[in-house]
Amino acid sequence: HKVELWRKLIREFSALRFEVQASVLRNCVQLSYFLPLDMECLQELVSEALYFTSPNGSANDAALLVTLCFVAANSGAYPEDFPNLVFVVSGTSSEVKTLMDSRWERWLWQGCCQMDILAQWIVDLELSKMFQATHK
């Protein structure tokens, strides 16, 4: 049933072009902690979401990209499992990365994350502020 739930969410978000409130995205992060996606469903989510991001990233993309990283980590996936996501994040502007850092920091302290896997995402994505915070 969890696969059906995630597929329904993916269809709904895709219909909305992934233009959903940050609170909805945050709820998806929490849901993924308790109901992690299987790799096929996670790949579908990432592919669908990345389709709607802008080439250099935007302020709106920052929340979505952070969500994808958290959901991937909560589902047991590492950056090497999703080179397309790493590529998109790496291509974002410094302003978008700053927005991502800020959102990442807020969400980390709210719990519901697989910190050991998330730490690898932080390192690989070069989110410097978060890397420093996790290695104090």
Side-chain angles (χ1 to χ4, degrees), residues 106-126:
R106 283 189 311 241
W107 286 7
L108 269 180
W109 304 121
Q110 294 177 8
C112 293
C113 63
Q114 299 290 341
M115 193 57 214
D116 55 331
I117 301 173
L118 203 54
Q120 189 61 51
W121 281 92
I122 293 167
V123 170
D124 284 18
L125 297 178
E126 299 176 356

Side-chain angles (χ1 to χ4, degrees), residues 60-109:
N60 293 337
D61 292 339
L64 179 57
L65 294 172
V66 170
T67 298
L68 294 174
C69 295
F70 269 78
V71 169
N74 281 346
S75 298
Y78 288 86
E80 58 267 18
D81 299 322
F82 287 91
N84 53 343
L85 177 55
V86 172
F87 178 78
V88 169
V89 172
S90 298
T92 60
S93 68
S94 58
E95 292 84 16
V96 172
K97 284 189 180 175
T98 299
L99 291 169
M100 288 179 69
D101 264 342
S102 175
R103 185 165 306 279
W104 202 292
E105 184 175 25
R106 283 189 311 241
W107 286 7
L108 269 180
W109 304 121

Side-chain angles (χ1 to χ4, degrees), residues 1-15:
H1 290 83
K2 89 175 166 181
V3 171
E4 291 173 24
L5 171 66
W6 279 108
R7 289 228 160 91
K8 182 172 173 62
L9 285 171
I10 293 166
R11 281 192 308 273
E12 293 296 320
F13 290 163
S14 189

